[in-house]
Amino acid sequence: MNSGRVMSRESFNFGLFTFSARVPKCNHIWPALWLLPADTNGEGNYGRLPCSGEIDVLETVHDQSFGTFNLVAGYGSSNGCAPTAENLCNKCLPDYCTSTTMNPNANFDRYFVESTNCDAAHPSWEEHVFVLNWQPDELTTWIDPTFQYDPDGRLVSVTPKAPATDSQGMPTWKKYERQQKPTWLAVENFMQTCFPENAKG
């Protein structure tokens, strides 16, 4: 199976999430692990996508050896994006601006998974554990990290996997901090104007 969808019965806001997955590769497919807003249409408290945001723990295309860790945010607008557009409290209907951390021309959003063999009969990566730590002001993702627990079974640390020799200099984890990411900051005016009770100061 090269396509599937799994949805939780409950919504979650912050925490440590792990996904064990054998990701299909090659044949120009685009597998992904996404966290979307509450309902099946991607609509959340602040409107439809992208107003309620999206966290992509993994996106990978065709024969890429890496995963992309991507944050998607947006805001209602009139005629495009700032500085020429005006913020609108329209929940992204009908017009909106999208901001994303993904950049095909750079590698700051990437982490190494494994080299891909598209000559295999059923090309895929090996099974890996993808981990997301979602906190109010930072998000971190790892592949196959080591967890350390205290005697009471509480998680005390997460150690990144050592890079492979063929990792092309890419790490096995990525972190985004709110104050250092334009994607995160791009929606602050929208949130402060339209949803002040939920906006960060």
Side-chain angles (χ1 to χ4, degrees):
M1 181 177 71
N2 280 346
S3 181
R5 185 175 190 177
V6 178
M7 296 192 65
S8 62
R9 294 185 178 182
E10 298 181 29
S11 297
F12 300 91
N13 193 23
F14 309 128
L16 186 77
F17 305 85
T18 63
F19 310 84
S20 296
R22 186 181 178 97
V23 178
K25 292 294 295 178
C26 306
N27 301 308
H28 300 281
I29 61 173
W30 190 326
L33 294 171
W34 292 353
L35 275 70
L36 295 171
D39 74 7
T40 57
N41 298 316
E43 295 185 11
N45 294 334
Y46 312 122
R48 72 169 188 181
L49 193 71
C51 268
S52 289
E54 172 184 316
I55 302 171
D56 302 333
V57 178
L58 166 73
E59 288 192 291
T60 185
V61 179
H62 187 45
D63 62 351
Q64 292 173 339
S65 60
F66 58 85
T68 298
F69 180 33
N70 183 28
L71 305 183
V72 180
Y75 52 88
S77 72
S78 61
N79 192 32
C81 298
T84 58
E86 177 187 357
N87 277 1
L88 297 178
C89 298
N90 63 359
K91 294 192 171 184
C92 285
L93 280 171
D95 299 321
Y96 57 88
C97 175
T98 301
S99 181
T100 173
T101 54
M102 184 180 286
N103 184 347
N105 300 315
N107 62 7
F108 64 82
D109 55 359
R110 301 173 184 176
Y111 58 92
F112 184 79
V113 180
E114 68 172 86
S115 296
T116 302
N117 177 17
C118 286
D119 293 327
H122 303 286
S124 70
W125 284 334
E126 297 296 321
E127 183 171 316
H128 293 283
V129 177
F130 300 86
V131 179
L132 171 72
N133 185 22
W134 179 13
Q135 300 301 323
D137 288 318
E138 70 176 34
L139 293 107
T140 310
T141 194
W142 300 265
I143 180 167
D144 299 326
T146 299
F147 296 122
Q148 293 181 321
Y149 300 89
D150 69 13
D152 295 321
R154 292 185 293 258
L155 181 67
V156 294
S157 69
V158 181
T159 304
K161 177 182 178 180
T165 56
D166 57 347
S167 65
Q168 305 161 42
M170 283 183 281
T172 59
W173 64 287
K174 296 297 295 183
K175 177 187 284 188
Y176 293 141
E177 296 177 320
R178 174 175 167 262
Q179 291 300 333
Q180 298 175 0
K181 280 294 153 202
T183 296
W184 214 325
L185 300 174
V187 299
E188 287 197 343
N189 188 47
F190 169 72
M191 291 297 296
Q192 289 168 358
T193 301
C194 303
F195 304 96
E197 67 280 6
N198 299 113
K200 296 287 289 187

